[in-house]
Amino acid sequence: MTDAFFAYRDGVLHAESVSLSTLAARFGTPLYVYSKAALTQAYGAYAKACEGRNAAVHYAAKANSNLAVLGVFAKLGAGFDIVSAGELARVIAAGGDPRRVVFSGVGKHADEMRFALEKDVFCFNVESRPELARLNDVAGSMGRRARVSLRVNPDVDAKTHPYISTGLRGNKFGVAYEEALAAYREASQLPHLEVVGIDCHIGSQITEVSPYLDALDKVLDLVERLDAENIKIHHIDVGGGLGITYTDETPPDITAFATQLLDHVARRGHGHRQVLFEPGRSLVGNAGVLLTQVEFLKPGETKNFAIVDAAMNDLARPAMYEAYHGIVPVTQRDSGDSTVYDVVGPVCESGDWLGRDRALNVEAGDLLAIHSAGAYGFTMSSNYNTRPRAAEVMVDGDVAHLVRERETVESLFAGERLLPTNG
Ligand SMILES: *Cc1c(COP(=O)(O)O)cnc(C)c1O
């Protein structure tokens, strides 16, 4: 939870033992701040459930792919779930083991497949039949066999936001459940593929266990049919998607959730198969905050605005999914009253808001911490409006490490060229 790692002491918000105002003064704003202790604790909660079981945690790098974050998980023994060759390069640069990587994604390029095969990734999570054919060709051209798992779409409702629900029919992800058996038969016939697993990923920010159990049952039914056809499934990858508390959500406890899934697999007689978890958000979401400074207060007839120096280009989730993030002053004022503000950024879009109708006792120049910004924060950031992306810091006990420099404006157009003038 956020509170343990980002807590008020004497009216000042601290990350572990470092005050966030000190970090803002030292590194500027907007600034992403991550807590190593929070990352470690969340990983430990999954690891505890996996202890003594044939199970492993593969961190979904797209949630937060800063090298320092990947490095912390690599040291803790995590495998990784990636969705591009770029993420694989990051995992390797951070000291992760490519042979513990699963490669997901609906549109893998042949060059990406080649790179992943060279690095001998654990498994390709294949999402369509044409992808099977392409992977078979690429592996064949290299004289290799690619280990594959098919991502099946179990057609269950994860009861989450439509943009982050992925397990329903009519979704671009995975092989339709009815088609899966035929796709597996096809895969098992292709000479340069080796079927090793099955996977599903039904969505994100899921706060109930029941959709997982429904999906798992359908996956296990399929595994049993495949067994009958002598297509052996060594591992079952249950995907990621476990939710976190942004405001009043009550997701299951990580260890209890993971244990429940593992117990269910064992109860149905599949305890001998390896189970993989692919968590992203639940490992990093509440391990990060985005620090921003109030530029101006702009009272209005129907709305008051607190204009801050972070914007939708830094944190896209509110604009993209109408997502809620807690917003709190870094230093609590002991006098004055709260006013209700929309917290908005400087970007030229009405959709550029970070929080709506927030009661805040703030003045221009004050610092705000935007909570639960560790997942899909920096990784979804952009340079819209030619805004350099924020710096990132990781706090480890009482030491703050700059783990990504703030971008410079010059670097943003360094690869661009004016047209040559004729004559
Ligand atoms: C994004 C993704 C994940 C991680 O999802 P979270 O909701 O962040 O846990 C896991 N697996 C796949 C295939 C993904 O695309």
Side-chain angles (χ1 to χ4, degrees):
M1 286 292 302
T2 317
D3 301 358
F5 305 99
F6 299 98
Y8 282 110
R9 282 196 297 281
D10 301 325
V12 180
L13 200 57
H14 285 67
E16 300 185 46
S17 40
V18 179
S19 99
L20 293 176
S21 8
T22 317
L23 295 182
R26 196 167 142 203
F27 301 108
T29 54
L31 181 71
Y32 275 99
V33 181
Y34 311 125
S35 156
K36 185 183 168 194
L39 299 174
T40 305
Q41 191 189 73
Y43 183 83
Y46 276 100
K48 192 171 169 200
C50 295
E51 226 169 70
R53 310 252 205 163
N54 189 6
V57 182
H58 288 245
Y59 169 57
K62 74 177 186 289
N64 186 329
S65 57
N66 184 286
L67 293 192
V69 173
L70 299 177
V72 166
F73 290 132
K75 275 228 168 65
L76 290 168
F80 295 89
D81 167 65
I82 59 157
V83 292
S84 70
E87 284 188 351
L88 178 54
R90 279 182 176 275
V91 165
I92 293 168
D97 182 356
R99 287 162 305 176
R100 302 229 12 241
V101 163
V102 295
F103 191 172
S104 302
V106 291
K108 299 177 194 77
H109 195 276
D111 289 342
E112 295 186 299
M113 292 174 171
R114 205 165 289 121
F115 179 55
L117 281 164
E118 276 165 13
K119 299 298 173 192
D120 200 21
V121 297
F122 177 69
C123 180
F124 289 82
N125 287 351
V126 173
E127 305 218 13
S128 66
R129 295 166 83 167
E131 188 189 335
L132 282 177
R134 177 181 288 180
L135 183 58
N136 182 62
D137 288 347
V138 173
S141 75
M142 298 171 70
R144 308 276 291 251
R145 273 184 99 194
R147 289 177 289 272
V148 298
S149 155
L150 284 184
R151 174 169 176 178
V152 300
N153 185 336
D155 194 26
V156 299
D157 185 358
K159 304 186 184 90
T160 183
H161 190 285
Y163 280 15
I164 48 180
S165 170
T166 56
L168 273 174
R169 206 192 300 270
N171 192 287
K172 76 171 176 181
F173 297 102
V175 177
Y177 191 77
E178 298 70 24
E179 220 190 304
L181 207 54
Y184 265 107
R185 285 182 191 131
E186 187 178 319
S188 69
Q189 296 301 315
L190 289 169
H192 306 292
L193 301 185
E194 179 189 0
V195 172
V196 292
I198 191 165
D199 67 283
C200 67
H201 172 70
I202 57 175
S204 202
Q205 186 52 19
I206 301 167
T207 54
E208 292 169 48
V209 185
S210 60
Y212 283 98
L213 296 176
D214 294 348
L216 195 49
D217 272 328
K218 295 188 83 169
V219 165
L220 293 175
D221 290 347
L222 203 53
V223 169
E224 286 161 12
R225 306 242 345 234
L226 292 167
D227 243 355
E229 298 197 16
N230 213 25
I231 298 174
K232 293 287 176 226
I233 299 297
H234 302 288
H235 75 259
I236 299 163
D237 180 340
V238 297
L242 184 63
I244 63 169
T245 302
Y246 286 97
T247 166
D248 53 4
E249 304 90 339
T250 52
D253 165 79
I254 291 175
T255 308
F257 157 81
T259 303
Q260 227 178 313
L261 262 56
L262 291 171
D263 285 348
H264 194 77
V265 170
R267 197 161 43 237
R268 280 204 44 179
H270 295 272
H272 58 293
R273 298 183 218 269
Q274 190 186 27
V275 174
L276 306 187
F277 295 95
E278 293 176 350
R281 188 191 313 270
S282 54
L283 285 177
V284 294
N286 273 330
V289 296
L290 173 59
L291 287 186
T292 184
Q293 186 166 38
V294 178
E295 297 283 344
F296 303 109
L297 294 178
K298 188 172 177 183
E301 249 170 56
T302 53
K303 283 256 179 206
N304 303 307
F305 294 101
I307 303 170
V308 300
D309 66 1
M312 65 187 289
N313 75 295
D314 300 300
L315 181 66
R317 299 188 66 260
M320 200 161 162
Y321 316 115
E322 304 206 320
Y324 180 98
H325 286 264
I327 301 179
V328 300
V330 166
T331 306
Q332 287 174 327
R333 295 183 165 275
D334 19 85
S335 64
D337 291 320
S338 291
T339 304
V340 174
Y341 294 104
D342 276 10
V343 179
V344 300
V347 162
C348 301
E349 298 279 346
S350 296
D352 179 27
W353 59 277
L354 298 167
R356 285 182 170 147
D357 299 324
R358 305 303 175 87
L360 294 165
N361 178 7
V362 286
E363 298 291 342
D366 283 6
L367 290 170
L368 299 175
I370 304 176
H371 277 181
S372 316
Y376 306 104
F378 187 90
T379 50
M380 287 176 76
S381 67
S382 78
N383 294 119
Y384 189 40
N385 281 205
T386 307
R387 289 168 52 85
R389 282 181 296 171
E392 296 173 283
V393 162
M394 192 181 296
V395 175
D396 181 6
D398 54 8
V399 185
H401 301 277
L402 180 65
V403 294
R404 192 180 209 273
E405 290 173 13
R406 186 175 304 285
E407 285 176 335
T408 62
V409 167
E410 300 71 47
S411 74
L412 302 188
F413 52 80
E416 300 177 23
R417 298 286 180 273
L418 284 167
L419 286 180
T421 47
N422 295 321

Short mmCIF file of all heavy atoms in Angstrom, two decimals, residues 349-406:
data_model
loop_
_atom_site.label_atom_id
_atom_site.label_comp_id
_atom_site.label_asym_id
_atom_site.label_seq_id
_atom_site.Cartn_x
_atom_site.Cartn_y
_atom_site.Cartn_z
N GLU A 349 -5.07 20.90 -24.26
CA GLU A 349 -6.16 19.94 -24.47
C GLU A 349 -7.07 20.03 -23.26
O GLU A 349 -6.58 20.05 -22.13
CB GLU A 349 -5.64 18.49 -24.49
CG GLU A 349 -4.67 18.12 -25.57
CD GLU A 349 -5.32 17.82 -26.91
OE1 GLU A 349 -6.56 17.64 -26.95
OE2 GLU A 349 -4.59 17.79 -27.90
N SER A 350 -8.38 20.04 -23.50
CA SER A 350 -9.29 20.03 -22.34
C SER A 350 -9.19 18.71 -21.59
O SER A 350 -9.49 18.63 -20.40
CB SER A 350 -10.73 20.26 -22.79
OG SER A 350 -10.83 21.53 -23.36
N GLY A 351 -8.75 17.67 -22.29
CA GLY A 351 -8.57 16.36 -21.65
C GLY A 351 -7.35 16.31 -20.75
O GLY A 351 -7.10 15.29 -20.11
N ASP A 352 -6.61 17.39 -20.68
CA ASP A 352 -5.40 17.40 -19.86
C ASP A 352 -5.74 17.70 -18.41
O ASP A 352 -5.59 18.82 -17.94
CB ASP A 352 -4.40 18.43 -20.39
CG ASP A 352 -3.13 18.47 -19.54
OD1 ASP A 352 -2.81 17.43 -18.94
OD2 ASP A 352 -2.49 19.53 -19.48
N TRP A 353 -6.23 16.68 -17.72
CA TRP A 353 -6.49 16.83 -16.29
C TRP A 353 -5.89 15.65 -15.55
O TRP A 353 -5.71 14.57 -16.11
CB TRP A 353 -8.00 16.94 -16.02
CG TRP A 353 -8.78 15.77 -16.49
CD1 TRP A 353 -9.24 15.56 -17.76
CD2 TRP A 353 -9.18 14.62 -15.72
NE1 TRP A 353 -9.89 14.34 -17.84
CE2 TRP A 353 -9.86 13.76 -16.61
CE3 TRP A 353 -9.02 14.25 -14.39
CZ2 TRP A 353 -10.41 12.53 -16.18
CZ3 TRP A 353 -9.55 13.03 -13.97
CH2 TRP A 353 -10.24 12.19 -14.86
N LEU A 354 -5.56 15.86 -14.29
CA LEU A 354 -4.95 14.80 -13.48
C LEU A 354 -5.87 14.38 -12.34
O LEU A 354 -5.78 13.25 -11.85
CB LEU A 354 -3.60 15.29 -12.93
CG LEU A 354 -2.58 15.62 -14.04
CD1 LEU A 354 -1.41 16.40 -13.48
CD2 LEU A 354 -2.10 14.35 -14.73
N GLY A 355 -6.75 15.28 -11.95
CA GLY A 355 -7.72 14.95 -10.91
C GLY A 355 -8.86 15.95 -10.95
O GLY A 355 -8.64 17.12 -11.26
N ARG A 356 -10.07 15.48 -10.70
CA ARG A 356 -11.23 16.38 -10.74
C ARG A 356 -11.84 16.51 -9.35
O ARG A 356 -11.90 15.55 -8.60
CB ARG A 356 -12.29 15.82 -11.70
CG ARG A 356 -11.89 16.02 -13.14
CD ARG A 356 -12.97 15.49 -14.07
NE ARG A 356 -12.68 15.92 -15.44
CZ ARG A 356 -12.98 15.20 -16.52
NH1 ARG A 356 -13.60 14.05 -16.40
NH2 ARG A 356 -12.68 15.66 -17.71
N ASP A 357 -12.32 17.72 -9.07
CA ASP A 357 -13.07 17.98 -7.82
C ASP A 357 -12.31 17.51 -6.58
O ASP A 357 -12.82 16.70 -5.81
CB ASP A 357 -14.46 17.32 -7.88
CG ASP A 357 -15.28 17.86 -9.04
OD1 ASP A 357 -15.17 19.08 -9.32
OD2 ASP A 357 -16.03 17.08 -9.66
N ARG A 358 -11.10 18.01 -6.42
CA ARG A 358 -10.29 17.64 -5.27
C ARG A 358 -10.24 18.80 -4.28
O ARG A 358 -9.89 19.93 -4.66
CB ARG A 358 -8.85 17.29 -5.69
CG ARG A 358 -8.77 16.21 -6.75
CD ARG A 358 -9.48 14.91 -6.30
NE ARG A 358 -9.48 13.96 -7.40
CZ ARG A 358 -8.49 13.11 -7.64
NH1 ARG A 358 -7.43 13.10 -6.85
NH2 ARG A 358 -8.55 12.29 -8.66
N ALA A 359 -10.57 18.49 -3.03
CA ALA A 359 -10.50 19.51 -1.98
C ALA A 359 -9.06 19.63 -1.52
O ALA A 359 -8.49 18.68 -0.97
CB ALA A 359 -11.41 19.11 -0.82
N LEU A 360 -8.45 20.78 -1.78
CA LEU A 360 -7.03 20.97 -1.45
C LEU A 360 -6.81 22.33 -0.81
O LEU A 360 -7.39 23.33 -1.24
CB LEU A 360 -6.18 20.90 -2.74
CG LEU A 360 -6.13 19.57 -3.48
CD1 LEU A 360 -5.57 19.76 -4.89
CD2 LEU A 360 -5.30 18.55 -2.70
N ASN A 361 -5.96 22.32 0.22
CA ASN A 361 -5.56 23.57 0.85
C ASN A 361 -4.16 23.89 0.31
O ASN A 361 -3.16 23.45 0.87
CB ASN A 361 -5.57 23.39 2.37
CG ASN A 361 -5.13 24.64 3.10
OD1 ASN A 361 -4.93 25.70 2.50
ND2 ASN A 361 -4.95 24.51 4.42
N VAL A 362 -4.10 24.59 -0.82
CA VAL A 362 -2.81 24.82 -1.49
C VAL A 362 -2.67 26.26 -1.98
O VAL A 362 -3.66 26.99 -2.15
CB VAL A 362 -2.61 23.89 -2.71
CG1 VAL A 362 -2.31 22.48 -2.28
CG2 VAL A 362 -3.80 23.94 -3.66
N GLU A 363 -1.43 26.65 -2.20
CA GLU A 363 -1.10 27.95 -2.81
C GLU A 363 -0.17 27.66 -3.99
O GLU A 363 0.45 26.60 -4.06
CB GLU A 363 -0.36 28.84 -1.80
CG GLU A 363 -1.16 29.20 -0.55
CD GLU A 363 -2.33 30.13 -0.83
OE1 GLU A 363 -2.35 30.78 -1.91
OE2 GLU A 363 -3.25 30.17 0.01
N ALA A 364 -0.03 28.66 -4.87
CA ALA A 364 0.93 28.52 -5.97
C ALA A 364 2.31 28.26 -5.37
O ALA A 364 2.66 28.85 -4.34
CB ALA A 364 0.93 29.78 -6.82
N GLY A 365 3.06 27.38 -5.99
CA GLY A 365 4.39 27.04 -5.49
C GLY A 365 4.41 25.79 -4.63
O GLY A 365 5.47 25.21 -4.40
N ASP A 366 3.24 25.38 -4.14
CA ASP A 366 3.18 24.16 -3.32
C ASP A 366 3.44 22.91 -4.17
O ASP A 366 3.16 22.90 -5.37
CB ASP A 366 1.80 24.01 -2.66
CG ASP A 366 1.63 24.95 -1.48
OD1 ASP A 366 2.53 25.79 -1.26
OD2 ASP A 366 0.58 24.86 -0.80
N LEU A 367 3.93 21.89 -3.50
CA LEU A 367 4.15 20.60 -4.17
C LEU A 367 2.99 19.66 -3.90
O LEU A 367 2.47 19.61 -2.78
CB LEU A 367 5.42 19.94 -3.63
CG LEU A 367 6.76 20.57 -3.99
CD1 LEU A 367 7.87 19.93 -3.16
CD2 LEU A 367 7.04 20.41 -5.48
N LEU A 368 2.62 18.91 -4.94
CA LEU A 368 1.60 17.87 -4.78
C LEU A 368 2.20 16.53 -5.15
O LEU A 368 3.06 16.45 -6.05
CB LEU A 368 0.41 18.15 -5.71
CG LEU A 368 -0.36 19.45 -5.50
CD1 LEU A 368 -1.42 19.62 -6.59
CD2 LEU A 368 -1.03 19.45 -4.12
N ALA A 369 1.75 15.49 -4.47
CA ALA A 369 2.15 14.13 -4.83
C ALA A 369 0.93 13.44 -5.45
O ALA A 369 -0.14 13.41 -4.85
CB ALA A 369 2.61 13.37 -3.61
N ILE A 370 1.11 12.94 -6.66
CA ILE A 370 0.05 12.17 -7.31
C ILE A 370 0.35 10.71 -7.02
O ILE A 370 1.40 10.19 -7.40
CB ILE A 370 0.02 12.46 -8.82
CG1 ILE A 370 -0.15 13.97 -9.04
CG2 ILE A 370 -1.10 11.66 -9.49
CD1 ILE A 370 -0.12 14.41 -10.49
N HIS A 371 -0.56 10.07 -6.32
CA HIS A 371 -0.34 8.71 -5.82
C HIS A 371 -0.49 7.64 -6.89
O HIS A 371 -1.08 7.87 -7.95
CB HIS A 371 -1.34 8.42 -4.69
CG HIS A 371 -0.88 8.95 -3.36
ND1 HIS A 371 -1.60 8.78 -2.21
CD2 HIS A 371 0.22 9.64 -3.00
CE1 HIS A 371 -0.96 9.34 -1.20
NE2 HIS A 371 0.15 9.88 -1.66
N SER A 372 -0.01 6.46 -6.55
CA SER A 372 -0.23 5.24 -7.36
C SER A 372 0.21 5.44 -8.80
O SER A 372 -0.44 4.99 -9.74
CB SER A 372 -1.72 4.83 -7.34
OG SER A 372 -2.24 4.91 -6.04
N ALA A 373 1.33 6.13 -8.98
CA ALA A 373 1.79 6.50 -10.32
C ALA A 373 2.95 5.62 -10.80
O ALA A 373 3.57 5.90 -11.81
CB ALA A 373 2.20 7.97 -10.36
N GLY A 374 3.21 4.51 -10.07
CA GLY A 374 4.34 3.66 -10.42
C GLY A 374 4.11 2.78 -11.63
O GLY A 374 5.06 2.32 -12.26
N ALA A 375 2.83 2.54 -11.97
CA ALA A 375 2.52 1.66 -13.11
C ALA A 375 1.85 2.46 -14.21
O ALA A 375 0.93 3.24 -13.94
CB ALA A 375 1.59 0.53 -12.67
N TYR A 376 2.29 2.26 -15.45
CA TYR A 376 1.69 2.92 -16.61
C TYR A 376 1.73 4.44 -16.43
O TYR A 376 0.83 5.15 -16.86
CB TYR A 376 0.27 2.39 -16.88
CG TYR A 376 0.26 0.89 -17.01
CD1 TYR A 376 -0.21 0.07 -15.98
CD2 TYR A 376 0.81 0.28 -18.13
CE1 TYR A 376 -0.16 -1.32 -16.09
CE2 TYR A 376 0.87 -1.10 -18.24
CZ TYR A 376 0.38 -1.89 -17.22
OH TYR A 376 0.44 -3.26 -17.33
N GLY A 377 2.73 4.92 -15.75
CA GLY A 377 2.96 6.35 -15.58
C GLY A 377 4.02 6.78 -16.57
O GLY A 377 3.71 7.14 -17.71
N PHE A 378 5.28 6.65 -16.15
CA PHE A 378 6.35 7.08 -17.04
C PHE A 378 6.31 6.33 -18.37
O PHE A 378 6.56 6.92 -19.43
CB PHE A 378 7.74 6.90 -16.39
CG PHE A 378 8.81 7.50 -17.25
CD1 PHE A 378 9.18 8.82 -17.10
CD2 PHE A 378 9.40 6.75 -18.26
CE1 PHE A 378 10.12 9.39 -17.95
CE2 PHE A 378 10.33 7.31 -19.12
CZ PHE A 378 10.70 8.64 -18.95
N THR A 379 6.01 5.01 -18.33
CA THR A 379 6.08 4.23 -19.58
C THR A 379 5.06 4.70 -20.63
O THR A 379 5.26 4.46 -21.81
CB THR A 379 5.88 2.71 -19.36
OG1 THR A 379 4.70 2.51 -18.56
CG2 THR A 379 7.08 2.09 -18.68
N MET A 380 3.99 5.34 -20.21
CA MET A 380 3.02 5.84 -21.18
C MET A 380 3.22 7.32 -21.46
O MET A 380 2.41 7.94 -22.16
CB MET A 380 1.59 5.59 -20.66
CG MET A 380 1.19 4.13 -20.72
SD MET A 380 -0.44 3.81 -20.00
CE MET A 380 -1.48 4.43 -21.29
N SER A 381 4.28 7.89 -20.95
CA SER A 381 4.46 9.34 -21.12
C SER A 381 4.96 9.65 -22.52
O SER A 381 5.48 8.78 -23.22
CB SER A 381 5.41 9.88 -20.06
OG SER A 381 6.72 9.39 -20.24
N SER A 382 4.77 10.88 -22.94
CA SER A 382 5.12 11.28 -24.31
C SER A 382 5.75 12.67 -24.28
O SER A 382 5.92 13.27 -23.21
CB SER A 382 3.87 11.31 -25.19
OG SER A 382 3.12 12.49 -24.92
N ASN A 383 6.09 13.15 -25.46
CA ASN A 383 6.69 14.48 -25.57
C ASN A 383 5.69 15.48 -26.15
O ASN A 383 6.09 16.52 -26.68
CB ASN A 383 7.94 14.44 -26.45
CG ASN A 383 9.05 13.63 -25.81
OD1 ASN A 383 9.48 12.63 -26.37
ND2 ASN A 383 9.50 14.04 -24.64
N TYR A 384 4.40 15.16 -26.09
CA TYR A 384 3.39 16.07 -26.63
C TYR A 384 3.61 17.49 -26.11
O TYR A 384 3.92 17.67 -24.93
CB TYR A 384 2.00 15.55 -26.25
CG TYR A 384 0.86 16.28 -26.92
CD1 TYR A 384 0.94 16.67 -28.25
CD2 TYR A 384 -0.29 16.58 -26.22
CE1 TYR A 384 -0.12 17.33 -28.86
CE2 TYR A 384 -1.36 17.23 -26.82
CZ TYR A 384 -1.25 17.61 -28.15
OH TYR A 384 -2.30 18.26 -28.75
N ASN A 385 3.43 18.45 -26.99
CA ASN A 385 3.68 19.87 -26.70
C ASN A 385 5.18 20.14 -26.51
O ASN A 385 5.57 21.13 -25.91
CB ASN A 385 2.92 20.37 -25.47
CG ASN A 385 1.44 20.68 -25.75
OD1 ASN A 385 0.83 21.49 -25.05
ND2 ASN A 385 0.87 20.06 -26.76
N THR A 386 6.02 19.25 -27.05
CA THR A 386 7.49 19.34 -26.89
C THR A 386 7.85 19.56 -25.43
O THR A 386 8.60 20.46 -25.06
CB THR A 386 8.10 20.42 -27.83
OG1 THR A 386 7.66 20.14 -29.17
CG2 THR A 386 9.61 20.38 -27.82
N ARG A 387 7.28 18.69 -24.61
CA ARG A 387 7.60 18.70 -23.19
C ARG A 387 8.59 17.57 -22.90
O ARG A 387 8.30 16.41 -23.16
CB ARG A 387 6.32 18.51 -22.36
CG ARG A 387 5.41 19.75 -22.38
CD ARG A 387 4.04 19.45 -21.79
NE ARG A 387 4.09 18.82 -20.48
CZ ARG A 387 4.19 19.48 -19.33
NH1 ARG A 387 4.25 20.80 -19.32
NH2 ARG A 387 4.23 18.83 -18.18
N PRO A 388 9.76 17.90 -22.39
CA PRO A 388 10.73 16.85 -22.03
C PRO A 388 10.10 15.94 -20.99
O PRO A 388 9.36 16.40 -20.11
CB PRO A 388 11.89 17.64 -21.40
CG PRO A 388 11.72 19.04 -21.89
CD PRO A 388 10.25 19.25 -22.08
N ARG A 389 10.38 14.65 -21.09
CA ARG A 389 9.80 13.74 -20.11
C ARG A 389 10.49 13.91 -18.75
O ARG A 389 11.65 14.33 -18.65
CB ARG A 389 9.88 12.30 -20.60
CG ARG A 389 8.79 12.03 -21.63
CD ARG A 389 8.80 10.61 -22.13
NE ARG A 389 10.04 10.33 -22.83
CZ ARG A 389 10.40 9.13 -23.24
NH1 ARG A 389 9.63 8.10 -22.98
NH2 ARG A 389 11.53 8.94 -23.89
N ALA A 390 9.73 13.57 -17.71
CA ALA A 390 10.16 13.80 -16.32
C ALA A 390 11.39 12.98 -15.96
O ALA A 390 11.69 11.96 -16.60
CB ALA A 390 9.01 13.42 -15.38
N ALA A 391 12.09 13.41 -14.94
CA ALA A 391 13.16 12.61 -14.36
C ALA A 391 12.54 11.54 -13.46
O ALA A 391 11.38 11.66 -13.03
CB ALA A 391 14.10 13.49 -13.55
N GLU A 392 13.31 10.48 -13.19
CA GLU A 392 12.85 9.41 -12.29
C GLU A 392 13.91 9.16 -11.23
O GLU A 392 15.11 9.13 -11.52
CB GLU A 392 12.62 8.11 -13.07
CG GLU A 392 11.50 8.18 -14.11
CD GLU A 392 11.44 6.91 -14.96
OE1 GLU A 392 12.28 6.75 -15.87
OE2 GLU A 392 10.58 6.06 -14.68
N VAL A 393 13.42 8.98 -10.00
CA VAL A 393 14.30 8.76 -8.85
C VAL A 393 13.85 7.50 -8.13
O VAL A 393 12.64 7.24 -8.04
CB VAL A 393 14.22 9.99 -7.90
CG1 VAL A 393 14.75 9.66 -6.52
CG2 VAL A 393 14.96 11.18 -8.49
N MET A 394 14.80 6.70 -7.66
CA MET A 394 14.42 5.58 -6.79
C MET A 394 15.02 5.77 -5.41
O MET A 394 16.23 6.00 -5.27
CB MET A 394 14.84 4.23 -7.34
CG MET A 394 14.16 3.10 -6.54
SD MET A 394 14.58 1.44 -7.05
CE MET A 394 13.91 1.40 -8.68
N VAL A 395 14.15 5.70 -4.40
CA VAL A 395 14.60 5.85 -3.03
C VAL A 395 14.88 4.46 -2.46
O VAL A 395 14.06 3.55 -2.57
CB VAL A 395 13.52 6.55 -2.18
CG1 VAL A 395 13.93 6.60 -0.71
CG2 VAL A 395 13.27 7.96 -2.72
N ASP A 396 16.08 4.32 -1.90
CA ASP A 396 16.49 3.06 -1.27
C ASP A 396 16.91 3.41 0.15
O ASP A 396 18.01 3.88 0.38
CB ASP A 396 17.65 2.46 -2.08
CG ASP A 396 18.13 1.13 -1.51
OD1 ASP A 396 17.50 0.61 -0.57
OD2 ASP A 396 19.14 0.61 -2.03
N GLY A 397 16.00 3.22 1.10
CA GLY A 397 16.28 3.61 2.49
C GLY A 397 16.40 5.12 2.59
O GLY A 397 15.45 5.84 2.29
N ASP A 398 17.58 5.60 2.97
CA ASP A 398 17.72 7.06 3.06
C ASP A 398 18.55 7.63 1.91
O ASP A 398 19.04 8.75 1.98
CB ASP A 398 18.31 7.46 4.43
CG ASP A 398 19.62 6.75 4.72
OD1 ASP A 398 20.14 6.06 3.82
OD2 ASP A 398 20.12 6.89 5.85
N VAL A 399 18.70 6.84 0.84
CA VAL A 399 19.44 7.33 -0.33
C VAL A 399 18.49 7.44 -1.53
O VAL A 399 17.71 6.52 -1.78
CB VAL A 399 20.61 6.38 -0.70
CG1 VAL A 399 21.44 6.97 -1.83
CG2 VAL A 399 21.48 6.12 0.53
N ALA A 400 18.58 8.56 -2.24
CA ALA A 400 17.78 8.75 -3.45
C ALA A 400 18.71 8.68 -4.66
O ALA A 400 19.69 9.40 -4.74
CB ALA A 400 17.09 10.09 -3.41
N HIS A 401 18.38 7.78 -5.58
CA HIS A 401 19.19 7.62 -6.80
C HIS A 401 18.43 8.19 -7.98
O HIS A 401 17.27 7.82 -8.20
CB HIS A 401 19.46 6.14 -7.07
CG HIS A 401 20.18 5.45 -5.95
ND1 HIS A 401 21.54 5.49 -5.82
CD2 HIS A 401 19.72 4.71 -4.91
CE1 HIS A 401 21.90 4.80 -4.75
NE2 HIS A 401 20.81 4.33 -4.17
N LEU A 402 19.10 9.04 -8.75
CA LEU A 402 18.51 9.50 -10.01
C LEU A 402 18.63 8.34 -10.99
O LEU A 402 19.74 7.95 -11.35
CB LEU A 402 19.26 10.73 -10.53
CG LEU A 402 18.73 11.32 -11.85
CD1 LEU A 402 17.32 11.89 -11.68
CD2 LEU A 402 19.67 12.41 -12.36
N VAL A 403 17.51 7.77 -11.41
CA VAL A 403 17.58 6.58 -12.27
C VAL A 403 17.19 6.92 -13.72
O VAL A 403 17.29 6.07 -14.60
CB VAL A 403 16.73 5.40 -11.72
CG1 VAL A 403 17.34 4.90 -10.40
CG2 VAL A 403 15.27 5.78 -11.53
N ARG A 404 16.74 8.12 -13.95
CA ARG A 404 16.61 8.62 -15.33
C ARG A 404 16.69 10.13 -15.30
O ARG A 404 15.95 10.79 -14.57
CB ARG A 404 15.29 8.20 -15.98
CG ARG A 404 15.29 8.46 -17.49
CD ARG A 404 13.95 8.03 -18.12
NE ARG A 404 14.09 7.62 -19.51
CZ ARG A 404 14.03 8.47 -20.54
NH1 ARG A 404 13.85 9.76 -20.34
NH2 ARG A 404 14.16 8.02 -21.78
N GLU A 405 17.57 10.68 -16.12
CA GLU A 405 17.71 12.13 -16.18
C GLU A 405 16.50 12.75 -16.85
O GLU A 405 15.90 12.13 -17.74
CB GLU A 405 18.96 12.50 -17.00
CG GLU A 405 20.24 12.14 -16.30
CD GLU A 405 21.45 12.35 -17.21
OE1 GLU A 405 21.31 13.00 -18.26
OE2 GLU A 405 22.53 11.85 -16.84
N ARG A 406 16.20 13.97 -16.46
CA ARG A 406 15.16 14.71 -17.18
C ARG A 406 15.64 14.94 -18.61
O ARG A 406 16.82 15.23 -18.83
CB ARG A 406 14.96 16.07 -16.47
CG ARG A 406 13.81 16.90 -17.00
CD ARG A 406 13.63 18.17 -16.16
NE ARG A 406 13.44 17.83 -14.75
CZ ARG A 406 12.33 17.33 -14.22
NH1 ARG A 406 11.27 17.17 -14.99
NH2 ARG A 406 12.25 17.02 -12.94
#
